[in-house]
Amino acid sequence: NATQQIQQLLTSTAGQQQLVSLFGLCTSPVSDLDQSVFMQGLMGLWMGLVQYNKEIAHQPTVKDRCDQLANGTITNNGDVLKAYAQMYVSTPGECTNVTYSSQLSYFESVAFGGLYSANRAWFYQTCTEFGYFQTTDGGSANEPFGDKVPLSLSLQMCRDVFGVQFPTAQLINETNTYYGGNDVADGPTKILFVNGDIDPWHALSVTESPSDDIPTILIDGTAHCANVMPASPNDPPGLVQARKDTMAMIDKWLASL
């Protein structure tokens, strides 16, 4: 298990230096926070992959990465850690900064435009409205990413980035109380919930229609935003039909006004 090997290497100076070499890190991950950021980056490699599977042109898919890891393990004589590191190093010759301070600097930037603006705004919403923090706090023996990315990491980042000790749990409860969370059986109407069954977030959405006025569409084989992407000749049949069903529902509602 590559994750187990990585966490073991993080416990010693020699092991940390080995990770610097394998993964092309700029500095040795010595502190607990730096180690958490490093492990969070490894999680992110897979989270983004699954969330946007087959949605971004020229980007690897889940199958591509799984094949790469399997084939890399074979070509590296069974060394799954080396194969994993080869996936992580995106630009040979350039190091990756995994320090906690660099993570803070990224989210502290108030530069307008691009991912800086979007990611800072989204991070603020997670701190003050949604939560949605990805952690390794589940305690499962089958946890693929170890145990070094606790909820406390995200909460500390909220405080350090924005300079405020947010009552995050209270704010999340207020959001769910105000909007109803995924309990929409009573009250709202004319809401269409569209999800892809590969998207991990679909588990938090409404996937079974509680009434005729609150329909749902669960698209087989798609991920996070496929239904709002431009149509492509390579779209799977379920996605093509979902777009047609969506337009038909909107036409129906508009005709009823």
Side-chain angles (χ1 to χ4, degrees), residues 106-118:
Y106 177 83
F107 285 111
E108 286 172 343
S109 173
V110 293
F112 181 75
L115 288 177
Y116 281 103
S117 299

Side-chain angles (χ1 to χ4, degrees), residues 206-252:
V206 178
T207 56
E208 295 185 9
S209 175
S211 70
D212 292 341
D213 248 350
I214 307 178
T216 62
I217 298 174
L218 184 62
I219 311 171
D220 180 44
T222 66
H224 194 55
C225 304
N227 59 299
V228 295
M229 295 288 187
S232 163
N234 299 320
D235 287 340
L239 176 56
V240 174
Q241 187 60 49
R243 289 199 179 101
K244 292 179 180 178
D245 293 344
T246 298
M247 293 305 300
M249 185 58 62
I250 293 173
D251 288 343
K252 176 183 175 181

Side-chain angles (χ1 to χ4, degrees), residues 85-207:
Q86 289 172 344
M87 291 174 51
Y88 182 83
V89 179
S90 56
T91 307
E94 294 185 8
C95 67
T96 300
N97 194 334
V98 296
T99 62
Y100 180 72
S101 60
S102 70
Q103 189 88 321
L104 293 184
S105 295
Y106 177 83
F107 285 111
E108 286 172 343
S109 173
V110 293
F112 181 75
L115 288 177
Y116 281 103
S117 299
N119 287 344
R120 177 178 165 86
W122 170 249
F123 185 55
Y124 181 79
Q125 285 187 286
T126 64
C127 297
T128 61
E129 294 181 72
F130 305 135
Y132 286 170
F133 303 118
Q134 292 90 53
T135 79
T136 55
D137 285 344
S140 169
N142 297 319
E143 167 59 57
F145 300 112
D147 58 6
K148 286 187 171 294
V149 188
L151 174 61
S152 59
L153 172 69
S154 295
L155 296 178
Q156 179 170 345
M157 284 185 60
C158 288
R159 181 180 68 246
D160 291 346
V161 168
F162 299 108
V164 178
Q165 181 69 57
F166 296 113
T168 301
Q170 175 187 328
L171 294 172
I172 293 169
N173 287 333
E174 290 175 358
T175 298
N176 286 329
T177 298
Y178 186 82
Y179 291 102
N182 58 10
D183 182 11
V184 294
D186 298 317
T189 60
K190 294 182 175 58
I191 300 175
L192 174 62
F193 289 91
V194 184
N195 293 276
D197 65 357
I198 292 180
D199 180 15
W201 294 110
H202 85 270
L204 295 179
S205 185
V206 178
T207 56

